[in-house]
Amino acid sequence: MSLPPAPALGSTNDPGLKSAIGKATKHLMPMLVILYFVAFLDRTNVGFAEEALSVDRGISDAAFALGAGIFFIGYAIFEIPSNLLLKRFGARFWLARIAITWGIVAALFAFTTNDTMFIVLRFILGVTEAGLFPGVIMYLSEWFPNKVRVRMFAIFYLAQPFSQMIGAPLSGGLLSFGDQATPFHGWQVMFAGEGILAVLAGIAALVFLTNSPQQAKWLEPGEKKSLTAAMAREDSARSEDGPVGIWRAMASGRVWYFTIIYFCLQVAVYGTTFYLPQQVSSLLGQDVGWQVGLVSAIPWLVGLVACYLVGSKADSVGRRRRWGTFFYLTTGLSILGSAWAGANGQPILGIVFITLAVASFLAVGPITWAYPTAFLTGAAAAAGIGLINSLGNLGGFVAPIMRTAINEVVPTDSGAFGIVSLGVLAFVAAVMIFCTKFFRRSKADDLLDTSHVRTASTSKETNA
């Protein structure tokens, strides 16, 4: 009786590939999660300081809204250049540089004195952080095959709920501690402490990150060959299927299609995140502090579970499309529900709807990124992923301004109409994700289910 043929090198059944993916997950993902944890914390902790900055420094509502959003202008301008520099200098050095410089700027918020300084620092924070998220997305697309990539994106996304689960009580606690136990204002202690965390994370990245599988001392030679073969096959498929070069990537209709989807997602994400402490405070009838911080952590705890479970199972094109459509719809409906609950004095229902919204947009984020990373590689990936993230993140600039403007035009005690505006674009994204059903299937997506039978092509690519 003849033995079954050995799995093709780098195929989904190759034990060397499975072992390499396991080791790469263990060695890389904790550091990447920590980096995004402190990044998200430093982006959004301004929500906890809004009232205190108004009282202590006279920061106006208009300046706060502009400052909260202008972060994304600096972020957008320098996103693509940062991604191209990451390709040149390597992820290890460049991601560490990003973390250290944004940590320094984040700590400088402790010295804010007026509207102008607040707005300028928010802009510079965006400039210094530009490239972190798309850089990691590109980095992961070079380390992990399409079959497991959404799972890796989901693990990376766990930094968002972790930053709010731990960060919300931490920010609220630092506010209370600073006011009660130090000669400084609580918001000063919060900004300084959380900025220093980013600097320390950047230093740690220099130690724990590795630029490529070929440089990984913790991989065995056979594991390196398996992982390299798998990624080479996917790179070949993406090169055939997607745009080649920086300018073609930036002109690609598919890149712009997913930019619009990501913009809609970010309107919902940041419109909810920036104002979450204030919305919870309003629902509970309490000032922002330790208790509000604890309640604000509940949606992120549920979101953490949803993000991981969905990401770990979204390993086929059909699942990604169906689940993406469903969770975009749920995001929009839940945001509308939270607005209704706030307008009708239903705090418990309000928290439930906010929790569903957060869980939904966290679950759909990794799925959304699976699409562009299936047809972008090399310099095209640096430019295309940077473009999607930079312009998509302008949703974070639009969201607070749109919400404030609508509440001024249609004022209510709960600000319901401003909240409703944030959910509308999630329905647009749901339709667009569903319509990917009519796209020509990506060659890299074909590898999700057929890589184990592509022995001949694998052999040729490996020998080449």
Side-chain angles (χ1 to χ4, degrees):
M1 181 181 294
S2 61
L3 295 175
L9 185 67
S11 71
T12 54
N13 293 328
D14 181 1
L17 178 62
K18 294 179 180 179
S19 177
I21 289 172
K23 288 185 178 180
T25 303
K26 175 182 176 182
H27 281 83
L28 302 179
M29 296 311 300
M31 188 68 252
L32 296 175
V33 169
I34 289 171
L35 284 173
Y36 196 38
F37 170 92
V38 291
F40 207 79
L41 184 63
D42 286 334
R43 285 187 196 183
T44 58
N45 60 9
V46 67
F48 283 90
E50 179 183 7
E51 184 177 350
L53 285 170
S54 176
V55 173
D56 296 332
R57 293 294 185 263
I59 306 298
S60 65
D61 289 344
F64 180 82
L66 178 59
I70 203 170
F71 166 92
F72 296 98
I73 299 298
Y75 195 89
I77 293 172
F78 290 91
E79 191 88 315
I80 295 174
S82 180
N83 248 25
L84 294 174
L85 288 170
L86 183 145
K87 290 289 291 183
R88 178 177 179 181
F89 293 108
R92 173 176 168 270
F93 168 79
W94 198 248
L95 293 177
R97 193 285 304 163
I98 290 172
I100 292 169
T101 53
W102 104 59
I104 292 171
V105 175
L108 289 177
F109 276 87
F111 303 98
T112 301
T113 58
N114 53 47
D115 286 3
T116 301
M117 185 174 181
F118 175 76
I119 293 169
V120 169
L121 282 175
R122 285 292 298 181
F123 177 79
I124 297 175
L125 185 67
V127 171
T128 53
E129 195 191 317
L132 175 72
F133 183 90
V136 172
I137 293 295
M138 184 170 64
Y139 181 58
L140 293 177
S141 70
E142 294 173 350
W143 269 92
F144 295 99
N146 198 1
K147 184 75 172 176
V148 299
R149 197 173 298 145
V150 173
R151 189 197 316 165
M152 297 304 118
F153 291 163
I155 293 174
F156 179 55
Y157 257 74
L158 294 182
Q160 287 191 33
F162 271 128
S163 73
Q164 301 305 315
M165 282 171 50
I166 300 172
L170 174 64
S171 296
L174 286 174
L175 282 172
S176 300
F177 172 78
D179 284 332
Q180 298 170 10
T182 75
F184 305 101
H185 295 294
W187 58 269
Q188 290 179 304
V189 174
M190 180 191 72
F191 282 130
E194 292 175 355
I196 290 171
L197 284 178
V199 174
L200 295 176
I203 295 171
L206 287 170
V207 178
F208 292 106
L209 292 184
T210 304
N211 284 331
S212 66
Q214 292 84 355
Q215 297 178 11
K217 296 179 181 179
W218 33 267
L219 287 178
E220 298 295 331
E223 294 169 335
K224 289 183 181 181
K225 290 181 180 178
S226 293
L227 184 54
T228 300
M231 299 315 299
R233 182 172 58 248
E234 288 204 0
D235 283 344
S236 176
R238 287 185 285 184
S239 296
E240 292 179 29
D241 197 50
V244 178
I246 297 171
W247 298 111
R248 288 187 178 181
M250 295 177 68
S252 168
R254 280 187 294 174
V255 168
W256 283 94
Y257 189 87
F258 290 107
T259 299
I260 295 171
I261 293 175
Y262 197 60
F263 174 87
C264 295
L265 174 62
Q266 296 307 86
V267 168
V269 170
Y270 286 104
T272 302
T273 303
F274 279 141
Y275 293 95
L276 182 58
Q278 279 68 40
Q279 193 170 356
V280 171
S281 175
S282 176
L283 287 167
L284 298 180
Q286 296 183 2
D287 293 334
V288 175
W290 178 256
Q291 289 179 313
V292 169
L294 284 176
V295 176
S296 298
I298 293 174
W300 300 101
L301 174 60
V302 177
L304 184 152
V305 177
C307 181
Y308 181 76
L309 290 179
V310 172
S312 64
K313 300 297 183 181
D315 57 358
S316 70
V317 175
R319 282 181 178 177
R320 291 171 184 179
R321 184 177 60 252
R322 290 192 300 271
W323 292 359
T325 302
F326 172 77
F327 284 111
Y328 271 118
L329 288 173
T330 306
T331 297
L333 289 171
S334 300
I335 291 175
L336 298 186
S338 72
W340 174 87
N344 290 275
Q346 300 287 333
I348 295 178
L349 278 177
I351 298 300
V352 169
F353 280 122
I354 291 172
T355 299
L356 288 173
V358 171
S360 297
F361 69 58
L362 284 174
V364 82
I367 293 174
T368 302
W369 279 110
Y371 287 91
T373 56
F375 65 85
L376 292 171
T377 188
I385 292 172
L387 181 67
I388 292 169
N389 195 65
S390 61
L391 296 186
N393 264 299
L394 289 179
F397 174 76
V398 171
I401 295 176
M402 179 174 69
R403 177 171 171 165
T404 300
I406 291 176
N407 282 336
E408 289 177 353
V409 173
V410 192
T412 61
D413 292 338
S414 64
F417 287 100
I419 298 171
V420 167
S421 69
L422 304 175
V424 172
L425 291 182
F427 297 117
V428 175
V431 173
M432 294 182 72
I433 283 290
F434 177 78
C435 287
T436 59
K437 179 179 182 179
F438 306 108
F439 281 19
R440 178 170 55 86
R441 188 177 170 102
S442 168
K443 289 184 174 62
D445 282 335
D446 289 337
L447 296 176
L448 286 174
D449 303 312
T450 62
S451 60
H452 62 286
V453 298
R454 293 168 62 90
T455 306
S457 62
T458 299
S459 177
K460 291 179 181 179
E461 292 166 8
T462 304
N463 293 333

